Amino acid sequence: MEVEKKNLLNPEVPLNEAEAQKSYGAAPEYQSTQPTIVYAPAPQQAPSGPPPNDYLVLAVFTILCCFWPLGLVALIKSIETRTKLREGRYDDAAKASKESKMFSLIGIVVGIITLVFSLVLVAIVAAIQLAVVIPSITSQSP
């Protein structure tokens, strides 16, 4: 048994959407009388010198050869530098450029320290192994 639904406020107005579109058509367009306010950052004047370096090559070198987590941050800052230069935000681009260089250099230093630590550790392990192997070889000689 199918129950018929009726609009209690206005019985002539259909309840479901399909019937509403058939009887009324598309919704009318409304125009706002209030002004639209758009906030934009103040334009910055182009610096007189060259644009800041993005240190992209240094960031990629840090990723591939040194300490990749900091190299990845440096790469993101490098891309950010390029984006801000295109937008005309020279002060922000210079700041991102300095951060890219800083993260790259820190990554290189951490990579060098890790490499030196690893080499020292390998040398210690090799010396211990030689200390164990040489006495056993000399004790077996007749």
Side-chain angles (χ1 to χ4, degrees):
M1 182 170 159
E2 192 171 320
V3 178
E4 184 178 329
K5 296 180 182 178
K6 292 186 179 180
N7 188 340
L8 297 177
L9 297 176
N10 190 354
E12 296 175 3
V13 176
L15 282 181
N16 65 14
E17 241 179 86
E19 290 178 7
Q21 287 180 355
K22 286 179 189 174
S23 60
Y24 296 115
E29 293 183 25
Y30 295 101
Q31 293 182 353
S32 174
T33 57
Q34 296 179 348
T36 303
I37 299 174
V38 177
Y39 294 100
Q44 296 179 357
Q45 297 227 340
S48 58
N53 192 352
D54 60 4
Y55 298 104
L56 181 66
V57 174
L58 188 61
V60 171
F61 173 77
T62 306
I63 289 172
L64 297 177
C65 298
C66 297
F67 190 65
W68 69 265
L70 288 177
L72 190 61
V73 174
L75 180 66
I76 291 169
K77 290 296 182 180
S78 173
I79 294 169
E80 189 177 309
T81 300
R82 288 184 174 197
T83 304
K84 289 181 179 183
L85 276 175
R86 263 187 308 222
E87 293 172 355
R89 298 166 45 192
Y90 298 103
D91 294 337
D92 295 336
K95 181 181 175 191
S97 172
K98 287 179 185 177
E99 290 173 350
S100 176
K101 181 180 178 183
M102 177 189 67
F103 283 116
S104 293
L105 293 177
I106 291 173
I108 290 171
V109 168
V110 169
I112 290 171
I113 290 172
T114 304
L115 178 67
V116 168
F117 179 75
S118 299
L119 291 175
V120 168
L121 190 63
V122 166
I124 291 172
V125 170
I128 291 173
Q129 288 295 324
L130 285 175
V132 170
V133 170
I134 289 177
S136 65
I137 293 173
T138 56
S139 65
Q140 293 177 358
S141 297

